Amino acid sequence: MDKYSEFYNLLDEKTRLFKDIPKEKNIRVISHLDSDGICAASIITKALIRENRPHSVSIVSQLKENIIQELSNEKYDVFIFTDLGSGQIELIDKYLKDKTIFILDHHEINDAIIDNEKIHHINPHLFKINGSKEISGSGVVYLFAEKINDENKDLSHIPIIGAIGDNQENEGFEFLNNQILSTAIANKKINVEKGLKFFGLETKPLYKVLSNCTEPVIPGISGDDQKTIDFLESIDISPFIGNKARKFFNLTADEKEKLISALIIKRNNEENPEDILGNLYLIEGESDGMPTKDAREFSTLLNACGRLNRSSLGIGACLNNHNMKKKAIESLKDYKREIMNSINWYDRNKKDTDKIITGDNYIILKPKDQILETLIGTLTSIVSRNKKITPNTFIMSLAELEDGNMKVSIRIANCDNDTIDVNGIVKEITDFLGGESGGHKMAAGAIIDPELEDDFIAKAINIFETKYPKEIIINEIDD
Ligand code: C5P
Ligand code: ZN
């Protein structure tokens, strides 16, 4: 039997066990704060509503030991952990001994593999399926929900939004995500079109989308509003109607085609001029020009809700609650402001060696309490996508949390080396120094005692320099 059949068999077995749970049992759902986690929470919520099962949902940024301990005092017999839990299974086993537990996750399994009549663990890594690339947490929850009730196929677009949020789309999806995508297409939930893969195409003025776009670059117009406006006029596409800037979806089919050809011609000297084209995942039933139309923008919307501690709006948006979706969309501007604050912090302090330590193959950010604590991972990811930073440079942030702990986030800049495992790095450090860690090969984090900050940094630098030395990971940090 291949690994996928084994995974599907496990899902079959676990959904059967789930269905045997008496209907009156109140169920506690805990999910992760990011876009994938909110997608996962939305799917399980809807599935439980359909089964008439009473439940309550919480979203957490990290499943810390004290949270699990608190859960043990709650009067629930059944717990479902979604998009988290696999890294904390020993703690779950320790504190929630007499409970029935379902863990539906795709994070690396750092602890012992526990699966018994009380703890039901569903994770693709159990079958050596790559949970970082092939399926998201919401994907695992979706497959579970689909087996509980075929009607849940109407949720099949949600795990695509979650997978995009977890960076699992790269010129298409890998196997399990692709199967979910096929279900979403067959059920008329998503429409895949080849089109311009510029972020904000649905919602921003066309000239802004083009001038803001640096990845891929459009020579002569990237970064320059006026030149972009001149370019559009030169190909007979009016950037404005009256005072109002046009958006991509306002263009006629002919204009869209003309624009794409002209952009490809402008990129003639680039390695792959057609790199401006990619798959667009458009959610059926959503209106053009809304941030809920393109799955990529939808994912950002959910992240915004989560990071601003308004996760319930994200769940409402996924489940098509008109009012909540509206409020979620309104939250985007607050999110953008917070992101800008964190990017400005980075730009302002690049030269301040107390705040940003730069080595041959690493950059360490220490924002303390200067940026919103839920955005520490996001800032680390944004820095890691900066094309000016040499590929495979480690980007690590350590910041203070309101509860007195210290949060660590780690990523790899422009990674092109799949032997690097940042989850392994943080685990090695927390095993040695103490603290809780978890994540994926490409994105991981930890919670530590702030007194360990210097030791953590010293140990991390040691690992960066000895395990991943310059010869393997080219350096030269280009500012
Ligand atoms: O918080 P951050 O975005 O840096 O986390 C990166 C990944 O590592 C996320 O998927 C998160 O769930 C995981 N993580 C974890 N345990 C921690 C910290 C982060 O599983 N203590
Ligand atoms: Zn996830």
Side-chain angles (χ1 to χ4, degrees):
M1 199 165 33
D2 71 9
K3 58 186 185 179
Y4 298 107
S5 313
E6 286 183 44
F7 182 53
Y8 279 116
N9 280 351
L10 180 78
L11 279 160
D12 271 335
E13 181 200 326
K14 297 303 185 188
T15 35
R16 266 199 310 276
L17 290 169
F18 179 77
K19 285 183 153 192
D20 287 344
I21 296 172
K23 287 263 179 174
E24 68 280 3
K25 289 260 182 225
N26 216 338
I27 297 178
R28 187 77 169 98
V29 176
I30 316 292
S31 194
H32 191 208
L33 175 107
D34 67 1
S35 148
D36 186 29
I38 293 177
C39 287
S42 308
I43 297 167
I44 199 73
T45 300
K46 182 73 190 186
L48 294 174
I49 292 171
R50 279 206 164 115
E51 297 298 295
N52 284 321
R53 287 185 180 274
H55 61 277
S56 103
V57 182
S58 293
I59 303 283
V60 299
S61 60
Q62 230 112 72
L63 191 56
K64 287 179 289 198
E65 181 165 1
N66 66 320
I67 294 180
I68 305 175
Q69 196 172 4
E70 279 165 25
L71 288 173
S72 69
N73 299 324
E74 294 187 2
K75 292 193 181 356
Y76 293 89
D77 298 321
V78 184
F79 289 78
I80 304 180
F81 293 94
T82 61
D83 193 36
L84 41 70
S86 287
Q88 297 81 18
I89 202 159
E90 279 176 315
L91 293 171
I92 291 174
D93 189 40
K94 176 174 161 194
Y95 291 107
L96 302 174
K97 264 245 162 302
D98 311 315
K99 315 287 187 183
T100 300
I101 315 280
F102 285 80
I103 298 173
L104 303 162
D105 195 4
H106 72 135
H107 286 86
E108 298 276 346
I109 303 166
N110 286 342
D111 285 355
I113 295 174
I114 299 174
D115 184 61
N116 52 40
E117 69 277 12
K118 282 292 195 185
I119 298 190
H120 305 289
H121 190 195
I122 306 172
N123 184 315
H125 289 289
L126 290 168
F127 305 98
K128 303 207 159 34
I129 298 170
N130 182 353
S132 301
K133 279 279 158 236
E134 275 203 46
I135 188 161
S136 60
S138 54
V140 176
V141 176
Y142 170 74
L143 293 178
F144 187 74
E146 189 194 75
K147 286 194 185 287
I148 292 176
N149 184 342
D150 210 51
E151 270 185 59
N152 290 326
K153 283 191 169 145
D154 68 353
L155 308 172
S156 50
H157 56 299
I158 302 177
I160 297 304
I161 300 169
I164 287 176
D166 265 11
N167 263 328
Q168 299 192 336
E169 201 273 352
N170 184 13
E171 316 274 321
F173 287 105
E174 292 187 26
F175 183 67
L176 287 172
N177 277 328
N178 235 343
Q179 286 203 324
I180 297 173
L181 178 63
S182 304
T183 309
I185 295 170
N187 285 273
K188 302 211 174 345
K189 300 303 296 179
I190 280 196
N191 190 12
V192 184
E193 284 179 12
K194 257 278 179 276
L196 290 173
K197 60 179 187 193
F198 300 145
F199 188 83
L201 204 60
E202 282 293 331
T203 49
K204 292 186 187 149
L206 176 61
Y207 81 90
K208 274 279 174 208
V209 174
L210 299 178
S211 71
N212 282 349
C213 186
T214 49
E215 182 52 37
V217 71
I218 314 160
I221 67 176
S222 289
D224 191 324
D225 283 354
Q226 191 51 50
K227 282 195 180 144
T228 310
I229 291 170
D230 296 345
F231 160 74
L232 287 170
E233 283 170 347
S234 76
I235 56 171
D236 281 335
I237 294 177
S238 312
F240 299 93
I241 291 188
N243 284 335
K244 216 169 158 6
R246 291 170 88 197
K247 295 181 183 172
F248 183 73
F249 78 88
N250 297 132
L251 304 189
T252 64
D254 277 355
E255 283 178 319
K256 285 181 181 165
E257 238 173 72
K258 193 160 57 179
L259 173 67
I260 292 171
S261 315
L263 288 171
I264 293 173
I265 291 168
K266 261 208 161 319
R267 283 174 43 85
N268 240 343
N269 293 327
E270 301 296 310
E271 204 171 316
N272 296 306
E274 300 206 350
D275 253 8
I276 50 169
L277 296 174
N279 286 340
L280 302 184
Y281 302 91
L282 303 175
I283 315 287
E284 297 272 11
E286 295 291 335
S287 311
D288 283 335
M290 295 307 282
T292 42
K293 181 70 189 174
D294 181 317
R296 242 174 269 277
E297 292 194 51
F298 205 139
S299 175
T300 301
L301 178 72
L302 298 181
N303 242 322
C305 294
R307 309 284 167 189
L308 296 169
N309 292 321
R310 301 175 200 165
S311 302
S312 55
L313 297 182
I315 296 177
C318 283
L319 299 181
N320 231 345
N321 176 305
H322 182 73
N323 242 338
M324 291 176 108
K325 197 187 275 182
K326 193 164 155 255
K327 286 194 179 140
I329 292 171
E330 285 164 8
S331 294
L332 273 172
K333 53 180 184 311
D334 297 340
Y335 180 62
K336 279 181 196 151
R337 196 184 50 236
E338 293 294 347
I339 296 261
M340 283 319 295
N341 277 348
S342 69
I343 295 176
N344 288 342
W345 177 88
Y346 175 70
D347 285 337
R348 252 194 344 264
N349 294 299
K350 265 188 195 155
K351 301 275 181 278
D352 182 341
T353 48
D354 277 342
K355 295 192 175 123
I356 299 182
I357 310 169
T358 303
D360 275 350
N361 63 346
Y362 58 85
I363 300 175
I364 297 171
L365 323 183
K366 299 201 286 177
K368 295 200 182 290
D369 61 354
Q370 294 296 296
I371 67 169
L372 194 67
E373 64 178 60
T374 49
L375 282 184
I376 297 155
T378 310
L379 173 65
T380 319
S381 295
I382 292 173
V383 174
S384 76
R385 286 195 288 266
N386 181 341
K387 290 286 171 217
K388 288 185 179 167
I389 298 175
T390 308
N392 308 321
T393 301
F394 293 99
I395 313 293
M396 186 169 85
S397 306
L398 298 96
E400 291 163 7
L401 297 178
E402 270 172 23
D403 68 4
N405 280 312
M406 172 150 272
K407 155 124 197 78
V408 183
S409 275
I410 177 162
R411 306 286 189 271
I412 315 156
N414 308 306
C415 183
D416 60 11
N417 179 332
D418 65 7
T419 65
I420 309 176
D421 174 11
V422 290
N423 176 56
I425 296 176
V426 275
K427 179 166 164 37
E428 183 178 335
I429 306 175
T430 50
D431 280 352
F432 185 72
L433 291 177
E436 298 171 41
S437 72
H440 306 284
K441 277 173 85 172
M442 309 280 281
I447 300 284
I448 59 167
D449 184 325
E451 290 191 354
L452 295 175
E453 178 176 6
D454 292 341
D455 290 344
F456 195 100
I457 292 176
K459 183 107 181 98
I461 291 178
N462 182 269
I463 297 175
F464 299 154
E465 288 179 341
T466 54
K467 271 208 176 154
Y468 300 98
K470 289 191 219 172
E471 298 80 64
I472 305 175
I473 318 293
I474 337 123
N475 56 83
E476 275 179 38
I477 291 160
D478 172 9
D479 200 18

